[in-house]
Amino acid sequence: MSTEGRIPRRFAALKAEGRAALVTFLTAGDPDAATSLALLRGLPAAGADLIEIGMPFTDPMADGPAIQAASLRALAAGMSLAGTLELVRGFRAGDDATPVILMGYYNPIYRYGVARFLTDAKAAGVDGLIVVDLPPEEDEELCLPALAAGISFIRLATPTTDDARLPAVLRHTSGFVYYVSITGITGTGAASDQAISEAVTRLRRHTDLPVAVGFGITSPERAAAVAKVADAAVVGSAIVSRLAKGLNAEGKATAGLIEDVHHFVRALAAGVRGARG
Amino acid sequence: MTQLNTYRGGPNERGHFGIYGGRFVAETLMPLILDVEKAYAAAKDDPEFIKDFRYHMTYYVGRPSALYYAKRLSEELGGAKIYFKREELNHTGAHKINNCIGQILLARRMGKTRIIAETGAGQHGVATATVCALFNLPCTIYMGEVDIERQKPNVFRMRLLGAEVKPVTSGSRTLKDAMNEALRDWVSNVSDTYYLIGTAAGPHPYPMMVRDFQAIIGEETRAQMLEAEGRLPDSLVACIGGGSNAIGLFYPFLDEPSVALIGVEAAGLGLETATKHAASMAGGAPGVLHGNRTYLLQDADGQILEGHSISAGLDYPGVGPEHAWLHDLGRVRYESATDDEALDAFKLCARTEGILPALEPSHALAYIIRAAGALPKDHLMVLGLSGRGDKDIFTVADALGTRI
Ligand SMILES: Cc1ncc(COP(=O)(O)O)c(C=O)c1O
């Protein structure tokens, strides 16, 4: 495995430590740009090993209510794809080591212009992309150009991705593989420990890349259970829901919001770090 | 206009019509869509499947639908000889049933036991609920809260037919959000559920498959016009929501250079309003949504805008990918009509022909009202009369300031 780039370096370091990674998700600009930047800046200290940042979109087809609402809050507060890249630059000013992965849907990137987006994303310090509505069948759109630009393209594998299809899904995947542990949208349901363990074993038969598992991880205990068997545990909706609890009736951030989200991330990190102890 | 040897060659094996179409869906759905593609490829060449489809078209839907010479309207407009292809006479009152019969037969072949669908005006929802009752399959229809309010009679009809109508409260609470919600349902219920898409849009193979099922409209029109006039029509006019009735009417004529094809988008309160219309080709730009690349109403950041039209069946912010392709090639001309023009057309049709057209095809008729007078008397023009207007009487009454 190559150790060039922040994602491989981070996974190599964690492997040496003998533990899994905690990957946290927040939507860019939720609930506003300034709060969002403060939230992101505090994540590494709270124990996030990799950071996923959602690019807000009006029609997030694979997301459940929590992340849909986050997207709409961010858009209402004026967030855009250019604004998302600006946030990444802001984060990078204080942290050059934590991998940053942008996650979202293709249309805003297509509209921005793929070549221009990749140049700007690379310059901002983006390490990887997860674009939900770009399966391997559409690799020429963004996956191959991203790889050529030195940005990882992280593919989702799901319970419906059978052994016959897995090689096609893994072919141009880089950085890590993201296993979606349920057939469903974000924030709705959870897979059993046994199902997750079997899936990770199946993926490892097909790839040497680190395997991250997400969807349905809502607590430090669930994060710990996943961290026992996978290389990373991804937590999204639960963090976004925690953020939403800190909003007032107008959807504005209240005083304790940032600290409360970081507090929750610290608990998740403790779960992940203690998992194999 | 770009000259091709054939305009009937799309899509390619990857579901692309030029740069449009494709399969832009989450990985969870990809295997399902490949299954639908495989099953449809086998079914469409299977004589048993074709026979079954034809049987239901004849005895259940009531086809062929009439090609009717609208004499009084033609005289009133004083130009072209106008024919109506009367899809409003089909069982359930619109063209939507053609596609629903085709897809439900496919779903049964695939062993699926639960049907989901999205609906805007409720016509596709009613047609889906109807075929689900016919074949005894449970069905869930997603419909935006806003549309539920505007199309109450159809909501009640769906419930009478045994469907579960789920109000969609996310986003703009109209058709695009209903489609998002249906996709979310499908991702969550992959093993038993079939997604019965109601227009010629979505990921491959839907645009092609829906077109093929709706092409019966154009095939009949061709034969009926040859019988009535001994020649092909000079122009065909149809409204464009997602584009299924239009592509169904146009497809058998795409390679007839003498036949002009005109699709009519909804201009709502006017194209100059930017966000108060639903004309994705006249006022949108290429983008990716709901599984395909096509023209979309969107802002500079690629966020999808809500369309507006007086007709709930046209206010989708996109259009089927084959139309996007035919638009760029110049083979089909896309025009638009406003809410007010559609209302005037609705009233004129009622008064001169004794037919209440749905507000959707009223847009196509509005174009005909603009264009027919200047055409010679031997110009044969066909209106795709995609549905009947009973469902719209509350909306029309509202717009006319009448209480019923
Ligand atoms: C009568 C009628 N015509 C047209 C449409 C628009 O759909 P399409 O463009 O797919 O024909 C609808 C949609 O609800 C409809 O009910």
Side-chain angles (χ1 to χ4, degrees):
Chain A
M1 195 169 75
S2 147
T3 52
E4 233 183 281
R6 294 184 193 97
I7 300 174
R9 269 202 301 279
R10 179 56 50 102
F11 275 108
L14 295 179
K15 192 166 187 179
E17 275 182 48
R19 70 169 177 92
L22 171 66
V23 183
T24 59
F25 173 93
L26 281 169
T27 299
D30 177 26
D32 61 78
T35 308
S36 189
L37 181 58
L39 281 165
L40 292 173
R41 282 194 164 146
L43 285 175
D49 299 301
L50 289 86
I51 292 178
E52 279 182 19
I53 302 177
M55 299 174 276
F57 184 47
T58 39
D59 294 79
M61 279 151 326
D63 285 300
I67 295 179
Q68 286 175 40
S71 233
L72 294 181
R73 283 195 297 268
L75 291 172
M79 190 42 60
S80 62
L81 188 51
T84 301
L85 295 175
E86 183 63 40
L87 268 181
V88 176
R89 273 195 294 279
F91 174 79
R92 274 281 168 257
D95 183 317
D96 195 37
T98 306
V100 168
I101 294 131
L102 295 184
M103 179 162 185
Y105 298 81
Y106 185 38
N107 197 54
I109 296 173
Y110 179 69
R111 182 76 177 166
Y112 192 94
V114 166
R116 179 174 155 237
F117 170 75
L118 290 173
T119 306
D120 292 357
K122 184 79 189 169
V126 171
D127 302 291
L129 299 173
I130 301 175
V131 183
V132 178
D133 51 356
L134 284 178
E137 281 73 6
E138 305 290 350
D139 264 356
E140 301 94 274
E141 294 287 338
L142 181 64
C143 172
L144 300 181
L147 296 180
I151 296 181
S152 290
F153 199 82
I154 294 135
R155 191 91 66 195
L156 306 178
T158 72
T160 60
T161 316
D162 62 16
D163 281 335
R165 187 171 161 77
L166 250 184
V169 168
L170 293 169
R171 196 149 71 99
H172 294 123
T173 303
S174 65
F176 60 94
V177 187
Y178 186 150
Y179 183 68
V180 173
S181 63
I182 57 163
T183 54
I185 52 179
T186 53
T188 55
S192 70
D193 287 351
Q194 196 196 335
I196 290 173
S197 165
E198 282 170 12
V200 171
T201 306
R202 179 166 80 95
L203 282 166
R204 287 207 173 116
R205 277 205 307 274
H206 290 265
T207 181
D208 293 331
L209 288 171
V211 177
V213 172
F215 281 48
I217 303 177
T218 50
S219 64
E221 295 70 37
R222 291 305 309 147
V226 168
K228 265 200 185 82
V229 295
D231 300 302
V234 188
V235 187
S237 297
I239 300 176
V240 169
S241 298
R242 189 72 173 231
L243 181 160
K245 281 206 186 118
L247 299 173
N248 65 19
E250 284 85 53
K252 299 271 185 299
T254 57
L257 180 148
I258 294 170
E259 173 45 30
D260 187 52
V261 169
H262 289 153
H263 178 74
F264 183 53
V265 172
R266 277 195 294 277
L268 292 166
V272 166
R273 286 162 200 236
R276 298 186 201 157
Chain B
M1 161 170 164
T2 314
Q3 287 292 340
L4 297 187
N5 287 332
T6 176
Y7 295 90
R8 291 161 51 93
N12 68 13
E13 68 293 340
R14 295 173 56 220
H16 291 220
F17 298 88
I19 68 162
Y20 302 105
R23 290 179 284 214
F24 296 87
V25 298
E27 173 59 23
T28 310
L29 290 182
M30 207 48 228
L32 281 75
I33 279 163
L34 293 172
D35 277 352
V36 173
E37 183 185 341
K38 218 182 323 159
Y40 177 62
K44 79 179 187 355
D45 296 325
D46 178 350
E48 276 305 306
F49 182 82
I50 296 166
K51 199 171 120 200
D52 214 6
F53 179 71
R54 295 277 159 181
Y55 173 86
H56 286 93
M57 286 296 116
T58 306
Y59 296 102
Y60 191 70
V61 177
R63 304 203 70 94
S65 69
L67 182 69
Y68 161 74
Y69 169 38
K71 187 159 179 290
R72 279 203 62 211
L73 179 76
S74 301
E75 282 167 8
E76 174 99 10
L77 299 178
K81 188 167 183 184
I82 297 155
Y83 280 83
F84 290 172
K85 179 57 177 165
R86 297 194 57 186
E87 292 299 299
E88 103 279 10
L89 295 177
N90 295 338
H91 179 44
T92 72
H95 68 293
K96 298 282 180 189
I97 190 86
N98 304 330
N99 167 50
C100 288
I101 291 284
Q103 286 199 54
I104 197 101
L105 293 177
L106 184 71
R108 275 161 55 90
R109 264 173 86 101
M110 294 177 72
K112 299 294 182 182
T113 55
R114 174 175 177 263
I115 304 294
I116 56 171
E118 83 295 340
T119 196
Q123 285 306 112
H124 175 59
V126 167
T128 303
T130 297
V131 298
C132 286
L134 179 64
F135 290 104
N136 193 26
L137 289 173
C139 122
T140 300
I141 308 284
Y142 290 92
M143 188 169 187
E145 257 187 349
V146 171
D147 291 335
I148 286 184
E149 193 50 42
R150 318 193 253 191
Q151 304 285 334
K152 280 189 191 135
N154 274 344
V155 175
F156 186 55
R157 244 172 234 140
M158 286 185 263
R159 292 193 167 131
L160 286 175
L161 291 161
E164 178 194 15
V165 181
K166 278 204 179 161
V168 174
T169 55
S170 58
S172 57
R173 296 173 290 133
T174 59
L175 181 54
K176 87 174 167 72
D177 308 283
M179 201 148 177
N180 290 336
E181 221 46 61
L183 285 164
R184 289 180 187 123
D185 180 313
W186 209 19
V187 170
S188 311
N189 297 285
V190 294
S191 59
D192 62 347
T193 298
Y194 181 89
Y195 181 15
L196 208 164
I197 296 183
T199 190
H204 180 62
Y206 283 96
M208 168 182 81
M209 176 167 72
V210 175
R211 172 200 72 197
D212 292 350
F213 292 138
Q214 293 292 3
I216 193 166
I217 303 171
E219 287 156 13
E220 287 176 6
T221 299
R222 187 185 177 100
Q224 290 166 322
M225 188 59 94
L226 284 174
E227 174 151 341
E229 299 277 354
R231 66 180 182 90
L232 293 179
D234 297 299
S235 57
L236 307 175
V237 186
C239 65
I240 308 274
S244 70
N245 88 89
I247 200 70
L249 178 63
F250 297 166
Y251 187 69
F253 295 93
L254 285 177
D255 287 339
E256 300 291 352
S258 70
V259 183
L261 306 173
I262 296 119
V264 184
E265 297 190 286
L269 301 181
L271 294 182
E272 69 286 355
T273 60
T275 59
K276 288 290 174 204
H277 66 77
S280 37
M281 285 179 287
V288 172
L289 181 70
H290 294 150
N292 60 145
R293 178 170 14 238
T294 189
Y295 280 89
L296 298 173
L297 298 179
Q298 54 182 319
D299 67 13
D301 189 42
Q303 306 299 336
I304 309 304
L305 300 172
E306 303 163 26
H308 162 83
S309 167
I310 190 168
S311 113
L314 299 185
D315 73 356
Y316 182 62
V319 63
E322 193 163 8
H323 285 291
W325 182 61
L326 293 167
H327 169 273
D328 287 7
L329 290 172
R331 176 62 189 97
V332 178
R333 195 148 54 81
Y334 293 90
E335 299 275 346
S336 65
T338 63
D339 288 355
D340 287 346
E341 289 177 297
L343 276 171
D344 287 344
F346 179 97
K347 287 189 282 183
L348 183 68
C349 188
R351 199 162 46 70
T352 57
E353 294 296 342
I355 295 172
L356 297 184
L359 282 172
E360 290 82 9
S362 294
H363 287 72
L365 186 56
Y367 166 79
I368 290 178
I369 292 172
R370 287 205 308 256
L375 294 167
K377 294 228 182 321
D378 63 352
H379 181 104
L380 303 178
M381 189 175 229
V382 177
L383 165 71
L385 184 40
S386 54
R388 67 175 181 229
D390 307 52
K391 70 180 172 63
D392 293 315
I393 53 173
F394 297 100
T395 306
V396 172
D398 249 9
L400 301 179
T402 309
R403 284 196 51 185
I404 51 175

